[in-house]
Amino acid sequence: MSSFDMSQYLNVFLDEAEEQLEIMDEGFIKLEQNGDDADLLNKVFRAAHTLKGASASMGFTNMAGLTHEMENVLDKLRQGEIGVSQHLVDVLLECLDALGQMKQEIISSGQDQGIQTDDLVTKLKQAITQEEGSGAIPESKSDGRLERERKAGFALSDLTEVEKNLINSAEIKGYYVYRIKVELSPGCQMKSVRAYLVFNNLEDVGEIIKTIPSTEDIEDEKFDNSFEIFLVTNEDQNKVSNIIMSISEIEAVSIIPVSLSNRDTDRASSELHNEQRQKTETQAGQQAQQKQGKAAPKIQVQPKKVSQTIRVDVERLENLMNLVGELVIDRTRLTDVGETIKGKLGADDVVESLEEITVHVGRITSELQEEILKARMLPIEQVFKRFPRMVRDLAKKANKEIDFIVEGQETELDRTVIEEISDPLIHLLRNSIDHGIEPPDERRQIGKPEKGTVKLNAFHEENQIVITVSDDGRGIDPAKIRQKALEKGLITAEAASRMSEQECINLIFTPGFSTASQVSDVSGRGVGMDIVRAHIEKINGIIDIDSEVGRGTTFTIKLPLTLAISRSLLLRVRENVLAIPLVNVVEIIDVESDKIYSMQNQEVTVIRGNVLPLFKLDAVLGWPPREEKTERTKLPVVVAGISDKRVGFIVDTLIGEQEIVIKPLGDYLGQIPGLAGATILGDGRVALILDVRGLVEHTGVRSGYEQAN
Amino acid sequence: MQEEKKTVIEEQLVVFQLSGETYGIEIANVHEIIRMQDITDIPRTPDFVEGVINLRGRIIPVIDLRKRFDLEVSEYTQASRIIVVEVEGVTVGMIVDSVSEVLRLPTNNIEPPPAMVSSVDAAYLRGVGKLDEQLIILLNLNKVLEKDEKEQLKDESLQEVAAALEE
């Protein structure tokens, strides 16, 4: 195999491994909650099995070895031989971590030998012995019954009523029914093929009415080295045994005659029966076949479920997005030009067709844009699915009991946003668990259920994604926050006394408010909340806190659907058209010029009892001052918000809302404070996109609408 | 670049006028030459940055070469052009008084820039070419498009690192 081929397979393998690891991760956590769920157990067992097979075929023996051991444990769980315990789940999760490390190792160095698995294997084995010692009594009982039945020549516990009927009627017609156990050679490579040959050959002499495990599982090689068949035939045991043994790689065959009646199992001696059998042979054969059509599994080659997806390089999607951006601009231009031509030529056939084409092109462009946007969308599950495990581990570490509820995983958002949102969410969840949820004792004392609840939710709201992280913990005490901020010198005593409770709570977002080492002093949160906010603002999002002492805290994050296209408010300052992303626009107000006051050299106005600092947008942007041609009586003001800060920007005129494609200003200019990029308008002109965060920072406004005295 | 000079006998230059003097830049760097168009002002940029233009969907910054070289500022005319150049992946439009021609200049006609050849700081020049008694000042585009502030910043941080290392 050439190295190129190998690397291709490696990628497929890594993708698959990732997938199986995720299934197991999710499964183990659920297992811990739900106990013995047969479907779930089968699912994780299959995942372990698949991974074992895949890693073995790629030559990653270390990984295959560990998954093999895990598979053993899971199989025992599945068979009900042992029960699920927290300890067992712990060990399994540890194994999963090791597998994750191996995967990383494979990515970086192409081999998987660096991770020690001996300890884990021992732990797994110990866990099995422990569990076997404790919770498996009822199972051994049923095993005993099965064993007795076997000895007596029966093995009927695995049969359904339909199958029993089948056996019954076959018996009446003088057929033998055998339960055949086929063992494949240990080194057998294509087990399903061997099994298929066994089935095929046996069907020449009789009918298979049941297999254990099911034929589907056998086809998928979901069995160890042996499987069992219930066969209806008129051949004797030796013949059947010979038929099977004629196939290579069969280790052993054991045949047990099955009988539902009390008759002697050795009916071959009865000549009467033999005669009867011959008479009715054809008939019975037909009947048996008919019945089988309904009840008995046959080997069916089920088409493998082909997933209707392809992997596409992200860069290609980005390119497509850019190209569509161009189209969007040209669409608008086309409309403009059409209007101009119409104005010049008036009603004309050609103008009419042009209009028609323009409308059509417009519609298609919109659809294209939407589809490509969708193609870049991923369900937020991509991020959320990692959290149950994390929450579990953190809760355990903190000795807290936590019910973690996740909702809205299917909510889709742009992959660029998804990449950025993970870290802030981890931070918030961590805080909820560490500081929000009280220890079980404390909760009991104050009459709360011992188990705390942390809830993660995502949903669409208009053109935004809303993600909430809420807990029913102790909440944030504004008084403590205020005191802490005073101690740290972040606010003056005078400012502190004027702050509302909400403003106090918002102080936790102030840089330098808290560092990890000091968290325990504060009731509530504070670990790097400024970092959380910075992250969210980086992707044009906003974060709000809603907290009640003793009742819990909810963080609400609002994010744009995509970073490439933004709905923006277009406005004019002098000859320049500027765009402000709508996410950052709180409201638009008209301020009468006599309602503008001066407070400490700062222009302000009062809206709804709150003081709003006002700035001339051109001045903030650093354009030189100009003379007002006419004194305006009403000034349009855009109230912009970033986190809890509110600032009013005085503009010349408002133009309206528009979807704009964000383009970078390029390497030459680099990052310019207050600008997020530029976009091209319908008339081909360039409009600058404002970076509200940068602008607000530039104004030096610290927080909120200030309370009017 | 050095090796090219040895092997290539001629250089192809785009020749333009700026404040009464003739300048040349290598044609390989020239993306295209366009007429003046609306330029969107960008705040908080150096004086010589005129703003940005839309070049078929791309946002391209434009600088005024007269301002860049601290020459006398004049109104743009019908003859004014924007030469869009690309140097090391960075695309920039440069406003010049007019573009005259594309010509071939034998490399051995190029001499290092004398100190007092033009009103432009010698640091921005690559050399001086002579063709039929005509003097063509060859620009070093890398230097022209280099952002002084950036360079200073880099130096400062380097100095800090160096200082920290010494301690």
Side-chain angles (χ1 to χ4, degrees), chain A residues 326 333 576 620-623 663-665 667-670 672-675 678-680 684-686 688 695 698, chain B residues 38 40-45 48-49 52-54 56-59 61 63 68 89-92 144-147 150:
Chain A
E326 307 279 306
R333 292 188 63 183
N576 303 295
V620 177
L621 281 173
W623 275 315
K663 288 175 180 282
L665 287 172
D667 287 342
Y668 183 70
L669 295 177
I672 296 169
L675 294 185
T679 190
I680 295 167
R685 287 181 58 189
V686 180
L688 300 178
L695 283 182
H698 186 75
Chain B
D38 273 348
T40 303
D41 186 20
I42 306 269
R44 300 210 183 104
T45 46
F48 58 83
V49 174
V52 290
I53 55 166
N54 163 19
R56 289 188 305 280
R58 278 178 78 191
I59 308 270
I63 63 172
R68 181 73 184 87
V90 176
T91 309
V92 177
V144 174
L145 299 183
E146 207 164 68
K147 282 180 97 180
K150 240 187 201 168

Side-chain angles (χ1 to χ4, degrees), chain A residues 92-140:
Chain A
L92 285 172
L93 285 173
E94 250 180 83
C95 293
L96 218 51
D97 290 342
L99 289 176
Q101 284 166 14
M102 286 181 203
K103 201 188 120 224
Q104 282 310 316
E105 207 191 348
I106 291 169
I107 293 171
S108 56
S109 66
Q111 51 95 15
D112 69 338
Q113 298 302 320
I115 315 285
Q116 273 299 326
T117 56
D118 297 353
D119 283 1
L120 285 170
V121 172
T122 321
K123 274 188 185 173
L124 279 171
K125 285 186 171 149
Q126 275 170 357
I128 295 177
T129 7
Q130 269 177 26
E131 293 301 320
E132 274 175 344
S134 63
I137 304 135
E139 297 305 328
S140 60

